Amino acid sequence: MFIDKAKIWVKAGDGGNGSIHFRREKYIAAGGPDGGDGGKGGNVVFKVDTSMTTLMDFKYKRKYTAPNGENGVGKRQRGKSGEDVVLNVPQGTIIRDYKSGRIIADMSEPEKEIIIAKGGNGGWGNAHFATAVRQTPNFAKNGQKGDEREITLELKLLADVGLAGFPNVGKSTLLSRTTKADPKIANYHFTTLEPNLGVVDLGNHRSFVMADIPGLIEGASEGVGLGHEFLKHIERTRILVHVVDVSGIEGRNPVEDFDIINSELSKYDMALEDRPQIIAANKTDIIQDESVYKTFITEMEERGYKVFPISAATGNGVDALMKYTYEELSKLPPVVVFEPEMNLEEEEFIMDDDGYEISRDGDAYVVSGSWIEAVGGSVNFDDNESLQYFQRALLNKGVIEALVNEGIQEGDTVIIGDLKFDFVY
């Protein structure tokens, strides 16, 4: 089954908590703090796998979570970091943020890797908080939360040449004759319900990838039938071989068919209007009306198109078509790669360790962000030094000033993660 779209949820691992521990050894009366740091949470990484051709792996499993980092322990021993979760996707997969629809990455380069969800940093153990005046810190820092997000995966096939045309015009037959692809072929409409890829090998290291795009119909650009699902696979192709049935066996006008398909292409994406096209006038072995056939050839040549009369069934004219297609491809730039519209490194409160956001929940002020929630989660209310550290951290990072600017008053409730307290200034 060919699956070319999926929505999934990914969650990076949380960082491990720092350890509160003191050195306790024989003959050492007052060992100092030696709590180790927590380990870093695992990342969620996407990687191109050129052997994959579908997003089938994501059809049944929709949630992926990386392991958390382990907590620190005594003797300044750092907790073990969580392992990364690596998700393989086919070459040509576009990763989008589900909420905004913006492109995060275009996985078109072989072996490309990208971190989509970054693991949280581990918290500091109490050994970090020892000073000349604070010799026995009875608090440590919690690990930060790992990123999480909903994303959509969309596969846009990477093919040099796309076979365009109405259903049942012979695209699958042409693909099967010129490549080792084995598409389903029969004499009825919509035999092809999913794209097929094949490599055309002309020898002497001359080859290109050709895709049989399922037959389009009038209204495809507006989503009629499976129009949008099919059209997106044409976007990356560098040349279109427009296959037209010129036999007249079904009583259709080949000029009208050609114009309808081109209209649907341009309505879907204006860039397709300027995509180079080569016309394959197919089924010349069973022409029913010679005048319709000749009119089509004359009209297309007058419009400036290169026309190849062929019979995909018998192979007549196919070699010349493929050789010319290769020659034209050699003159064109590489396949289109979509530029990212969303830079995860610049997204607020996701990759910024010091970022925070203030919002309202009824009368309460909610301060959120990975760093601030880690600090808030590590407060020991029974330890005066821990409270002082927490207060200084809020003051130094500008959180107190930001709350005042938001209009907070003495006694108002502040929520940071699972921590809730009254504001005192």
Side-chain angles (χ1 to χ4, degrees), residues 267-278:
K267 286 178 183 176
Y268 176 76
D269 185 347
M270 288 295 292
L272 291 175
E273 198 170 31
D274 300 323
R275 196 67 45 88
Q277 286 194 35
I278 303 168

Side-chain angles (χ1 to χ4, degrees), residues 54 76 131-132 157 160 218 260 308-309 334 339 381 414 423:
T54 174
R76 297 179 183 263
T131 66
L157 294 180
D160 300 300
E218 194 166 6
I260 288 172
F308 285 83
E339 291 296 323
F381 282 94
V414 178
F423 182 74

